[in-house]
Amino acid sequence: MELESTPPPPPCDGTEIEARPVAVRRSMELLQMDDPDLKIQAAREIRRLTKNSHRCRRQLRQAVAPLVSMLRVDSPESNEPALLALLNLAVQDEKYVN
């Protein structure tokens, strides 16, 4: 099944201050949907958003439980994006570690 082409959410690096909450909210909304393809899309967006941003990792910490539940589905298409998003959420920036 092909997903609709939607523009990617803006980065959480401070360049799009007004759009950042929208991207985080949109990712969380997609993650809550019943459609597995939308959940996969959300996991991919969360992975991208949290790749280099401590701020996005903080804002998306509530995504952990839904991402873990995606790992319980017997589907490599679902497991990989969920796992990669969780790995990014688990990263700690050195400057924030005491």
Side-chain angles (χ1 to χ4, degrees):
M1 173 185 277
E2 187 144 336
L3 296 176
E4 287 183 26
S5 178
T6 57
C12 289
D13 60 6
T15 58
E16 298 287 339
I17 293 172
E18 292 302 318
R20 181 178 44 244
V22 173
V24 169
R25 186 172 43 252
R26 179 173 150 230
S27 296
M28 286 305 301
E29 287 171 357
L30 289 176
L31 197 56
Q32 302 300 323
M33 298 290 179
D34 290 332
D35 184 342
D37 291 326
L38 292 177
K39 288 183 179 197
I40 291 168
Q41 180 181 346
R44 288 180 178 144
E45 287 182 9
I46 291 168
R47 177 187 181 203
R48 190 182 62 74
L49 288 167
T50 58
K51 185 174 183 178
N52 296 312
S53 172
H54 179 72
R55 178 177 287 147
C56 278
R57 287 192 286 274
R58 271 193 328 237
Q59 292 173 340
L60 286 162
R61 63 181 169 232
Q62 69 270 24
V64 171
L67 289 167
V68 169
S69 71
M70 286 176 67
L71 294 176
R72 294 185 177 121
V73 176
D74 190 22
S75 163
E77 295 83 21
S78 174
N79 292 162
E80 183 179 346
L83 181 60
L84 294 173
L86 285 165
L87 288 171
N88 279 2
L89 283 165
V91 170
Q92 291 187 5
D93 291 332
E94 290 181 17
K95 69 180 184 179
Y96 294 103
V97 177
N98 293 333

